[in-house]
């Protein structure tokens, strides 16, 4: 990890120089903070208003006109008419806050991340049998630099229950164990369940298996999130209907909503009409998105199911090589060709599939055959910008990164900045009030967080101060790790955590669903 001088001094002052602190060595907090003369955008979608805001400890004490003498001892920050909003809540994030700094998230105004995505629970270490309660225990002893929540991952639960990856119909005993494990995760504080139905092992799970877990999630008032069975143009509505059926009666949430291969705003309108029909029928249905035209995932997504684990790939090559080659060529042709795949990991990181094939003097299907389904991750340029932009404006779609500090995709460092820079300032597609709501109040309501996501007296003091006109997303596909600019002050639990382009404090917390008051 590379430290700036300010970050290093902040860590030393806190008694550590790591991404997380032991619970007994929290960074020293500002006892009071008065932010004056701001354009208060409270996260509800209500019109902005001019106000001052006073923080004491980790909570917002007062909002209104506040004279300095009533905030004696407080650090005073002059807002100068800049926007003051709740810290952004990233509903879909990856990475390991036990080992990594999320300064890149702080730099774009995010103060909370939600892990446990795509069917995979976070882990406290190499012991895959420990489960999510062990991760909660490890996190409770640490202080990350950002607030951390999680869902329970269905794929992880499946493996902990002893269900082979390729099993399509678990036994009654295995199903009982699945339910037992999910109950334990939700009781420990998970906010719901996530599934990854395009990935192994989730792709082998039938709707009946998922529905049994959906009923458990509903009993705990959790949310059912899903990387759905398909995001392809001709299958996405069917995938949404399956997800709804499997989630009932829990809240249903679609991860990284997109239409792969689809084109134009009219296609977006048809999908949004289907989502409206479901909501009109009483389904609590939401989604999240990132403002980029490329997804990022493993190249296994290109391979047919019969070539994926638990099938022995060497045997597939020996018996069905020509058939697999044809399948890969057909798939890549439909997905825009080899120029539309940019490797982000492995020996070919930073190169397109076309460039790798040219350098090797091979046809690109043969390169994929050599790499195999475990051959790395890549950015896949398979989405239409006009279609995706229309979906992003829907009031039930939250903003999320699907990124991490190390993901080689600009969304991990630029999502919230790009959202403000392009949709609010450049194109004026949404108001600043709506843009903030979709990054704060909406995701808080999806999770069931009641003390974050909205600026009100008594709420936790997660804040971001910025001038929208100065916000810049600097990350791109060539350099995906450039931090965002323009978010001048980010406060986490009352502590200035990121200021003037550098991390200044470490005060994140583990968030648990239905935590006791004051926790």
């Amino acid at each position: 990890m590379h430290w700036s001088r300010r970050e290093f001094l902040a860590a030393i002052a806190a008694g550590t120089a790591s991404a997380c602190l032991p619970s007994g060595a929290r960074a020293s907090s500002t006892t009071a903070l008065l932010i004056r003369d701001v354009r208060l955008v409270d996260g509800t979608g209500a019109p902005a208003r001019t106000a001052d805001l006073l923080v004491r400890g980790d909570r917002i004490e007062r909002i209104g006109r506040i004279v300095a003498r009533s905030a004696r001892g407080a650090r005073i920050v002059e807002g100068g008419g800049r926007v003051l909003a709740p810290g952004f809540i990233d509903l879909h994030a990856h990475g390991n806050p036990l080992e990594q700094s999320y300064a890149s998230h702080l730099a774009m105004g995010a103060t909370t991340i939600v892990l446990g995505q795509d069917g995979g629970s976070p882990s406290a270490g190499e012991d895959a049998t420990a489960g999510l309660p062990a991760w909660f225990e490890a996190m409770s002893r640490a202080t990350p630099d950002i607030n951390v929540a999680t869902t329970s991952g269905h794929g992880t639960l499946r493996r902990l229950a002893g269900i082979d990856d390729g099993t399509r119909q678990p036994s009654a005993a295995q199903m009982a164990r699945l339910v037992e494990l999910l109950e334990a995760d939700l009781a420990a504080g998970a906010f719901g369940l996530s599934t990854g139905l395009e990935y192994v092992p989730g792709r082998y799970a039938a709707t009946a298996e998922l529905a049994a877990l959906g009923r458990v999630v509903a009993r705990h008032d959790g949310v059912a999130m899903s990387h759905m069975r398909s995001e392809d143009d001709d299958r996405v509505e069917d995938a949404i209907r399956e997800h709804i059926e499997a989630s009932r009666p829990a809240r249903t949430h679609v991860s990284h909503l997109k239409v792969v291969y689809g084109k134009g705003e009219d296609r977006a309108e048809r999908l949004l009409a289907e989502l409206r029909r479901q909501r009109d029928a009483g389904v609590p249905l939401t989604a999240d998105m990132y403002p980029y035209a490329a997804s990022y995932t493993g190249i296994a997504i290109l391979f047919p199911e019969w070539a994926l684990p638990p099938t022995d790939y060497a045997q597939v090559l020996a018996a069905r090589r020509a058939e697999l080659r044809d399948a890969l060529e057909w798939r890549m042709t439909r997905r825009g060709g080899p120029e539309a795949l940019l490797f982000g990991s492995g020996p070919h990181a930073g190169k397109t599939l076309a460039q790798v094939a040219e350098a090797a003097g091979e046809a690109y299907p043969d390169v994929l055959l050599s790499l195999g389904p475990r051959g790395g991750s890549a950015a896949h340029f398979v989405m239409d910008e006009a279609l995706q932009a229309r979906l992003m404006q829907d009031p039930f779609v939250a903003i999320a990164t699907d990124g991490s500090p190390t993901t080689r995709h600009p969304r991990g460092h630029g999502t919230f900045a790009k959202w403000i820079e392009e949709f609010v300032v450049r194109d004026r597609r949404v108001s600043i009030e709506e843009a903030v709501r979709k990054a704060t109040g909406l995701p808080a309501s999806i999770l069931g967080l009641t003390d974050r996501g909205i600026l009100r007296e008594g709420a936790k003091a997660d804040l971001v101060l910025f001038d929208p006109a100065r916000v810049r997303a600097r990350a791109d596909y060539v350099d995906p790790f450039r931090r965002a600019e323009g978010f001048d002050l980010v406060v986490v639990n009352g502590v200035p955590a990121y200021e003037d382009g550098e991390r200044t404090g470490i005060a994140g917390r583990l968030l648990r669903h239905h935590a006791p008051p004051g926790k």
Side-chain angles (χ1 to χ4, degrees):
M1 180 181 299
H2 298 289
W3 295 78
S4 70
R5 180 175 180 274
R6 182 180 290 190
E7 288 175 328
F8 182 75
L9 291 175
I12 292 298
T16 185
S18 64
C20 288
L21 299 175
S23 58
R26 288 186 178 273
S28 56
S29 62
T30 303
T31 56
L33 179 67
L34 175 60
I35 307 176
R36 297 199 300 196
D37 185 27
V38 297
R39 185 182 173 195
L40 194 85
V41 179
D42 66 8
T44 67
R49 65 189 190 273
T50 300
D52 308 327
L53 183 144
L54 177 63
V55 173
R56 286 197 189 276
D58 65 352
R59 294 188 181 269
I60 300 170
E61 180 177 277
R62 186 177 170 192
I63 298 173
R65 280 302 180 193
I66 304 170
V67 296
R69 65 175 177 272
S70 66
R72 187 168 287 114
R75 175 192 169 187
I76 297 175
V77 175
E78 297 295 343
R82 287 173 288 176
V83 167
L84 182 66
F88 302 149
I89 298 171
D90 185 357
L91 273 178
H92 189 118
H94 296 277
N96 185 352
L98 288 168
E99 298 178 357
Q100 297 170 317
S101 167
Y102 280 76
S104 53
H105 265 68
L106 296 171
M108 55 178 165
T111 56
T112 298
I113 58 171
V114 184
L115 303 176
Q117 302 298 339
D118 304 325
S121 300
S123 172
E126 296 183 1
D127 183 3
T129 66
L132 192 54
W135 178 84
F136 274 113
E137 177 63 26
M139 282 298 304
S140 70
R141 297 193 301 267
T143 302
D145 55 7
I146 197 166
N147 297 318
V148 182
T150 191
T151 64
S152 175
H154 163 253
T156 300
L157 295 176
R158 235 177 174 254
R159 287 167 175 162
L160 290 173
I163 302 172
D164 291 338
D165 283 353
T167 298
R168 297 181 186 273
Q169 292 185 319
S171 68
Q174 288 172 329
M175 282 302 307
R177 180 60 175 152
L178 264 182
V179 168
E180 179 184 18
L181 288 166
L182 178 57
E183 290 273 11
D185 284 359
L186 295 171
F191 282 79
L193 175 74
S194 81
T195 56
L197 303 185
E198 256 190 325
Y199 303 134
V200 176
R203 68 182 301 121
Y204 299 113
T207 304
E209 174 185 331
L210 303 173
L213 300 179
R215 292 189 288 272
V216 177
V217 175
R219 288 200 299 272
H220 287 260
D221 190 27
V223 59
M225 296 184 171
S226 183
H227 177 131
M228 301 182 304
R229 190 83 63 183
S230 178
E231 298 167 329
D232 291 357
D233 187 22
D234 57 347
R235 299 179 62 195
V236 64
E237 279 90 353
D238 287 342
I240 289 172
R241 286 188 281 269
E242 181 199 20
H243 179 33
I244 291 169
E245 197 61 34
S247 303
R248 294 181 189 275
R251 300 193 303 280
T252 305
H253 183 81
V254 176
S255 294
H256 41 62
L257 181 66
K258 64 175 74 73
V259 181
V260 176
Y261 317 134
K263 301 291 183 184
E265 292 188 6
D266 288 346
R267 179 65 182 95
E269 294 293 354
R270 294 198 301 275
L271 178 56
L272 292 174
E274 171 64 18
L275 300 183
R276 283 194 296 272
R277 281 193 292 271
Q278 295 290 348
R279 284 192 292 268
D280 290 346
V283 176
L285 180 59
T286 55
D288 63 63
M289 290 182 67
Y290 48 81
Y292 294 90
S295 63
Y296 187 88
T297 191
I299 65 171
I301 203 168
L302 305 173
F303 287 72
E305 186 174 285
W306 48 264
L308 295 175
T311 303
D312 186 293
Y313 185 65
Q315 291 183 3
V316 171
L317 286 180
R320 305 176 68 175
R321 183 183 184 92
E323 184 183 359
L324 179 56
R325 189 185 191 282
D326 289 345
L328 290 170
E329 186 170 17
W330 177 85
R331 180 84 162 149
M332 276 307 307
T333 298
R334 195 178 182 205
R335 293 172 71 88
E339 297 83 3
L341 186 151
L342 178 67
F343 286 100
S345 68
H348 306 307
K351 298 178 181 178
T352 67
L353 176 58
Q355 289 170 330
V356 173
E358 182 179 6
E362 298 180 357
Y364 74 81
D366 295 314
V367 172
L368 292 174
L369 286 173
S370 298
L371 290 170
R374 291 187 168 123
S377 297
H380 303 256
F381 292 82
V382 292
M383 292 177 276
D384 177 68
E385 290 189 5
L387 189 161
Q388 294 299 115
R390 175 62 190 92
L391 293 178
M392 287 202 74
Q393 297 169 65
D394 185 81
F396 293 91
V397 174
I399 309 305
T401 70
D402 194 7
S404 78
T406 57
T407 301
R408 290 193 63 87
H409 188 298
R411 67 194 185 193
H413 284 61
T415 287
F416 292 104
K418 186 177 173 72
W419 171 239
I420 299 295
E421 179 184 4
E422 295 187 1
F423 283 75
V424 176
V425 177
R426 189 189 72 186
D427 300 334
R428 299 187 179 182
R429 290 174 171 171
V430 296
S431 67
I432 186 62
E433 293 88 350
E434 176 66 356
V436 167
R437 184 191 71 85
K438 283 162 66 68
T440 59
L442 176 58
S445 70
I446 291 167
L447 290 173
L449 282 175
T450 59
D451 58 355
R452 300 177 196 269
I454 294 177
L455 300 185
R456 60 170 178 78
E457 293 176 356
K460 294 291 187 180
D462 293 342
L463 313 168
V464 57
L465 179 68
F466 64 101
D467 176 357
R470 293 179 53 248
V471 168
R472 298 287 183 273
R474 300 172 64 241
D476 56 29
Y477 293 98
V478 176
D479 184 357
F481 302 123
R482 299 175 71 191
R483 292 183 187 177
E485 292 180 342
F487 295 100
D488 302 320
L489 174 64
V490 180
V491 177
V492 178
N493 296 309
V495 176
Y498 196 87
E499 191 170 1
D500 297 331
E502 296 181 345
R503 193 175 69 167
T504 54
I506 302 175
R509 293 179 184 169
L510 170 64
L511 307 184
R512 298 179 191 253
H513 196 208
H514 298 318
K519 297 295 184 182

